[in-house]
Amino acid sequence: MRHNKKFNHLGRTHSHRAAMLSNMATSLILHKRITTTLPKAKALRVYVEPLITKAKDDSTASRRVVFSYLQDKFAIKELFGTIAQKVGDRPGGYTRIIKLGKRANDDADMAFIELVDFDENMAKTDAKKTRTRRSRKSAPKAEAAPAAEAPAEAPVAEAPAAEKEA
């Protein structure tokens, strides 16, 4: 019977699983996006989101609690500094899991797990779309303006030359 077995053990002992999730959470905090298997990404989401929620309250007690999980002072500094500022008004859902398909050698389901507010790729794609639309709309106007300016400049240059000859 499976009573009270709600989380995936990932085929590891408790100490191995705790160390692995701690290392993965540190990497996620420092790099903002990591690639891993889908079950590990789902387990990491459950592990790291409460830590990010604790980081919203920047107190000594919350820093100590988070440090007991991560054991990396650079990750703590990044979490309580940059990340806590960006997710300060977000009520939850700090991570996103994007499925990548199967891994070639062992057919494992692969996935990205990333911090939602630090996704530069999504922001760049939206910015590229708006830039393309603006350039198309403004391109005819930009071409028309130099054409209108060129004839205006040419007669002005010819007028002084005509006065000199006369």
Side-chain angles (χ1 to χ4, degrees):
M1 298 169 102
R2 289 195 72 250
H3 297 302
N4 293 328
K5 296 180 186 278
K6 293 186 178 182
F7 64 94
N8 191 347
H9 295 278
L10 302 171
R12 289 161 172 81
T13 62
H14 177 268
S15 58
H16 186 184
R17 188 172 54 254
M20 181 191 67
L21 290 173
S22 173
N23 289 333
M24 289 175 67
T26 300
S27 295
L28 179 65
I29 289 167
L30 293 177
H31 301 291
K32 312 298 187 275
R33 173 188 254 193
I34 59 173
T35 305
T36 183
T37 61
L38 186 61
K40 285 181 189 175
K42 288 179 177 180
L44 180 61
R45 177 177 53 193
V46 172
Y47 186 86
V48 79
E49 289 210 2
L51 299 180
I52 296 173
T53 303
K54 282 224 180 280
K56 287 180 172 182
D57 174 34
D58 191 4
S59 65
T60 305
S62 61
R63 280 182 180 263
R64 286 179 176 171
V65 168
V66 173
F67 185 78
S68 71
Y69 285 94
L70 296 182
Q71 297 291 318
D72 186 1
K73 63 182 180 181
F74 299 111
I76 299 296
K77 185 176 179 182
E78 181 75 16
L79 179 63
F80 280 86
T82 311
I83 296 174
Q85 276 183 335
K86 280 217 173 182
V87 301
D89 56 341
R90 183 179 286 273
Y94 312 112
T95 58
R96 174 188 299 131
I97 296 175
I98 301 171
K99 295 179 184 178
L100 297 176
K102 304 273 187 184
R103 188 162 50 193
N105 60 355
D106 63 351
D107 209 33
D109 289 325
M110 297 299 290
F112 275 136
I113 182 167
E114 63 186 1
L115 296 175
V116 172
D117 293 323
F118 290 89
D119 186 19
E120 298 88 18
N121 293 333
M122 293 282 193
K124 286 181 183 176
T125 341
D126 294 337
K128 286 181 183 176
K129 288 181 182 176
T130 56
R131 285 184 195 149
T132 305
R133 288 180 186 159
R134 287 182 187 158
S135 64
R136 287 182 189 157
K137 289 180 182 176
S138 63
K141 293 177 185 175
E143 291 173 3
E149 292 174 6
E153 292 174 4
V156 172
E158 292 175 13
E163 291 175 6
K164 288 180 185 176
E165 291 176 12

